[in-house]
Structures are given as C-alpha cells and as structure tokens.
Amino acid sequence: MDAVPYRLVRNLLLAAAVLYCSLLLEAAAGFPLDVHTSFLSELGARDQSTSLYARAMDLSSSVLTLLAVLLARRSRELAGLLVSTAVFAFGTMFDSFSPMDCAPSASAACRASEVNGQAGAALVLHEATSTIAGVGTIAMAVFALIALRRRRRGWGGWPGKLLAVLAGGVLVTQVWLGSVVAYETLSGQEVAAPGILQRASTLLFCLMLGTLLPGLRQAFSR
C-alpha cells in the first residue's frame, strides 16, 4: 500500500473512531441517562431524544470501518484483524437498525417489561447485534496484539506500544463486561448496567480503533 492509500485508510478509521465514541454525544446532550446505571446503547432507544443521532453515528462509523477494511492491504499477517474488524462493523451496522423500544434505566415501565420478558423482538435483536459487535471488538484486540507480537523489530516505536496498551485494555474490560452481563443473565438476575465500566471500555476501543494503523503501519504498508 503506498502512502496515499495508507493515509486514506488511517483517516477513515480515525473518523470511524470519533463517530463510534457515543460518550461525545452523551456529553453534548447533557448526560440524559445516569452514567452509573445505564448502557450507552440506551441513547439509541426509540423513546430517547438522542435516538436518531446515536444510531446515525453508529451507522456512519460502521460504514467507514467497512470501507477501510475493503481498502486495506491484504496479507496473512493481517487477515484475522481485518475479519474481526469487519465483524465489529457489521454488528454495529445492524445494531443501528435494531434499537431498543425504550431505555430501561430511564423508565420503570420499560424496566419491568424487560424483567418480565415482555420487551419483545426488538430487545432480542438488539442484544444479538450488540453481542456480535462485542465479539468483534474482543477479536480485534487479540489480533492486534498478535500482529504486534509478530513484528521483528519490537513494538514499532511509541505508536505500537500505545496500541498494545489500548488493545490490552479493551480485551480486559470487554471480557469483564461480557462476563458480568452473561453471569447475571444466565443466573436469572436482573441485569444491572455496569455503566462506568462500559464507558471506559468504549473509550479505550475508540482510541484503539483510531491508533490501529499508526501502531501497525509497517504491516499495512508492506
């Protein structure tokens, strides 16, 4: 990949990272949901004033990410990373088309409906697409670390080291988040949104997405 395509793909992922960072929308909207007891995805619930903005940001981010994957250099070294990035993008894209009908943390009636299993297909579909996107983010972190480890000349300077730290943070927080939600779901408990943990994980992922190419520049440029 020559210099121009590299910069193009890098800028696409930078834009995708900014758009995926729904914490920016949350802050701009004046924190309409309790950050301790809500999921960020509730910003996209149909009954929220931020719904269209949140879904448009997710859709735009996923489209830009997929475009970057299509334009990126193909190699066996990067195959796993590119596939997992596409999985994340597809999960996010479909998630933008399948929002929850209401935000449980903002409505007692919505929360009761969810607990009693009356939330309907919208919630099930949203959970499925969110899970796909989550699996994609975990796989991206793993393959980014593998790609960095395989490099012959260390971590590739400070961009590579920064990417390694961010990927490690994403891996830990996403697995932690998924484990908490899975345990509460399988044990029949009401799922309590780990709001701060999810927001920290999302921020780490946005930073990782934005530094993916700088951290692996040699692999993407060879």
Side-chain angles (χ1 to χ4, degrees):
M1 178 179 292
D2 59 33
V4 174
Y6 167 82
R7 288 198 296 269
L8 174 60
V9 177
R10 180 199 62 192
N11 292 340
L12 286 171
L13 287 182
L14 280 172
V18 173
L19 287 167
Y20 188 72
C21 197
S22 49
L23 286 82
L24 298 175
L25 173 62
E26 185 174 48
F31 298 96
L33 302 173
D34 188 330
V35 297
H36 297 281
T37 60
S38 66
F39 285 104
L40 277 170
S41 58
E42 292 182 59
L43 293 170
R46 296 183 190 277
D47 68 340
Q48 295 298 300
S49 61
T50 52
S51 179
L52 289 178
Y53 301 106
R55 292 156 59 192
M57 289 174 67
D58 280 353
L59 178 59
S60 300
S61 176
S62 62
V63 170
L64 292 177
T65 301
L66 284 175
L67 183 57
V69 169
L70 291 174
L71 293 175
R73 174 185 173 275
R74 300 290 190 274
S75 72
R76 291 183 61 183
E77 180 183 1
L78 299 173
L81 180 59
L82 292 175
V83 170
S84 58
T85 302
V87 170
F88 154 74
F90 275 117
T92 302
M93 179 181 293
F94 287 115
D95 198 37
S96 69
F97 292 121
S98 55
M100 294 179 287
D101 289 327
C102 55
S105 68
S107 168
C110 181
R111 191 161 52 252
S113 176
E114 181 178 322
V115 171
N116 295 327
Q118 300 171 349
L123 177 61
V124 175
L125 185 57
H126 169 74
E127 290 176 344
T129 54
S130 294
T131 299
I132 292 172
V135 169
T137 62
I138 292 173
M140 284 177 66
V142 170
F143 283 114
L145 289 171
I146 291 174
L148 286 166
R149 183 66 182 85
R150 285 177 176 172
R151 299 184 65 173
R152 296 180 180 178
R153 296 182 180 179
W155 296 96
W158 71 264
K161 292 176 181 178
L162 176 60
L163 176 59
V165 171
L166 293 171
V170 169
L171 183 59
V172 170
T173 55
Q174 281 288 317
V175 171
W176 184 5
L177 180 64
S179 299
V180 169
V181 174
Y183 172 76
E184 292 179 345
T185 301
L186 294 176
S187 62
Q189 301 179 39
E190 180 179 352
V191 177
I196 298 298
L197 174 60
Q198 191 206 16
R199 284 161 175 78
S201 185
T202 300
L203 178 59
L204 287 170
F205 176 76
C206 292
L207 294 172
M208 185 188 82
L209 186 62
T211 58
L212 200 58
L213 258 68
L216 292 169
R217 179 164 188 167
Q218 289 182 359
F220 277 96
S221 301
R222 283 204 299 266

